[in-house]
Amino acid sequence: MSSNLRHLPSVDRVLMDERVRSLAQDLCGGAVTDLVRESLGRARAAAALGADVPSAAAVAEEVLAAAAAWRSWPRPVVNATGVVLHTNLGRAPLSRAAVEAAAAAAGAYGDLEYDLKTGSRGSRQAVPAELLRRVTGAEAALVVNNNASAVLLGLVALAAGRQVVASRGEAVEIGGGFRIPEVLAASGAELVEVGTTNRTYARDYEAAITAETGAILAVHASNFRTVGFTHTPSIAELVDLGARSGVPVLHDLGSGCLVDAAAYGLAHEPMPQESLAAGVDLAFFSADKLLGGPQAGLICGRRDAVGRLARHPLARAVRADKMSLAALGATLIHYLRGEAEREVPIWRMISAAEEEIEARARRWAAPLGAGAEVVRARSAVGGGSLPGETLPSWAISVDPGERGADALAGRLRGCSPPVIGRIEAGRVLLDPRTVLTEQDTAVEAALGAAMAGA
């Protein structure tokens, strides 16, 4: 044995560390012992290659860091980045009503699939489908676990073993490597690309339709924008073609915008109501983007088409859970009541007045004196929605001191709750638009603590 390894602390010695003993009392002692052994195993392997042997205290630190992952997760953070739908931070925060509905569904038994009137089995789809029908004008609706699975289910149920005609410019990739051509391949359908990257006409689709065509697929470019010499046929044109050819038209809208974004100074985002009114057979969209609800994939459209999807075996594999359905129902009710701007957090953020944002930023900056200034900024919608669209905003721009912006941003992330900002021109910016108003006190406390450590 190497003389270096003789100095490696024993398992018992590390377990005698007061912090590790306390951890073992709070958690399962056997699990903590396993963490110690794993840490010592890594140290032994490194020491055999010449690395220094860690002290018992250093091993204890590594054990404590590993055990930190066992706390409740995900950890709530303050989103001061100015990106409303921040994918890495969980996209849309839920309304209070949606949170309460999800908690009620999680904490007790419920009539998820039980008919209280008859005492017989019911459907978990009944209530959310009815709400979606009322909000969108669809004949029928179905909820699955996300929009990717919604599109996959639609293709499998309607076009497996057949051809799907789509524009070459819409054979896109969205976040997480989700590519339309690969989804088509996984569904068992064959992709037939028509047109060019920047210009596709209805006649291109028409020329590609044969007896083997199972569907026409239109995909909204929700996370990028093609500009310049471009053309795309309208959904109404594709619906007309589908009706003449006897081919169903499927529309992947992505972001699920149920209100007119143009009313808030943004570009118009295609709405499910518009596609359905135009006559598409199925419209697919997300619940956790511009709809402002929980993660879910929403399928709305003709009763016969939705019915085929609901009866397909894959529908069971991608169904939504009770907490998501409860939160979705509460969110949709906000739209039925015409209160989305007041109650759905992302729309409250998008519609926030500039003067209100500026006032909050000045309150944050006041205690910092010369260390911070309030500046004009731009907030982004984000989350694969309204690409390139921003909103005028205000932010607090903080001087990070000699240690630099990365160090200050790290100190803010180390606060409880962590505060996430962005770095521009060597300064840390915090944008109030994306911070829930009830988190203002936490931001002010974090700024005070972070600046004290500068």
Side-chain angles (χ1 to χ4, degrees), residues 339-358:
E339 60 187 22
E341 183 180 290
R342 298 194 311 275
E343 300 296 334
V344 177
I346 65 158
W347 286 107
R348 197 162 61 235
M349 294 172 183
I350 289 171
S351 64
E354 286 186 64
E355 54 268 26
E356 173 193 341
I357 297 171
E358 181 186 7

Side-chain angles (χ1 to χ4, degrees), residues 320-416:
D321 73 289
K322 63 180 181 180
M323 290 174 284
S324 295
L325 292 171
L328 173 63
T331 304
L332 291 172
I333 287 172
H334 292 316
Y335 287 93
L336 283 175
R337 291 175 174 169
E339 60 187 22
E341 183 180 290
R342 298 194 311 275
E343 300 296 334
V344 177
I346 65 158
W347 286 107
R348 197 162 61 235
M349 294 172 183
I350 289 171
S351 64
E354 286 186 64
E355 54 268 26
E356 173 193 341
I357 297 171
E358 181 186 7
R360 293 173 67 194
R362 294 198 181 283
R363 286 197 298 271
W364 296 358
L368 304 180
E373 61 178 318
V374 175
V375 299
R376 290 189 176 275
R378 304 292 299 187
S379 305
V381 176
S385 303
L386 291 163
E389 290 294 307
T390 60
L391 294 160
S393 191
W394 292 83
I396 174 175
S397 176
V398 186
D399 182 352
E402 294 182 358
R403 296 174 63 183
D406 287 336
L408 176 57
R411 292 195 296 276
L412 287 168
R413 293 196 303 272
C415 292
S416 183

Side-chain angles (χ1 to χ4, degrees), residues 198-213:
N198 60 320
R199 294 180 75 83
T200 305
Y201 300 89
R203 63 176 180 269
D204 296 319
Y205 289 86
E206 186 170 14
I209 292 176
T210 70
E212 298 303 314
T213 303

Side-chain angles (χ1 to χ4, degrees), residues 30 57-58 95 118-119 127 235 237 247 250 254 298 302 331 344 349 387 420 442:
S95 71
T118 64
V127 171
I235 290 299
E237 289 179 273
V247 176
L250 316 182
L298 310 181
R302 298 191 185 281
T331 304
V344 177
M349 294 172 183
I420 317 296

Side-chain angles (χ1 to χ4, degrees), residues 78-82 409 412-413 419-423 428-431:
V78 177
N79 174 18
T81 65
L412 287 168
R413 293 196 303 272
V419 175
I420 317 296
R422 69 181 190 265
I423 297 174
V428 175
L429 265 64
L430 304 179
D431 186 338

Side-chain angles (χ1 to χ4, degrees), residues 163-171 180 184 191-211 213-221 231-245 247-252:
Q163 296 178 343
V164 174
V165 182
S167 168
R168 182 166 283 106
E170 295 177 359
I180 291 297
L184 274 156
L191 172 62
V192 177
E193 293 186 14
V194 298
T196 64
T197 301
N198 60 320
R199 294 180 75 83
T200 305
Y201 300 89
R203 63 176 180 269
D204 296 319
Y205 289 86
E206 186 170 14
I209 292 176
T210 70
T213 303
I216 295 170
L217 175 64
V219 181
H220 171 52
H231 179 82
T232 302
S234 68
I235 290 299
E237 289 179 273
L238 295 182
V239 167
D240 177 67
L241 174 59
R244 289 188 284 109
S245 307
V247 176
V249 177
L250 316 182
H251 192 190
D252 176 10

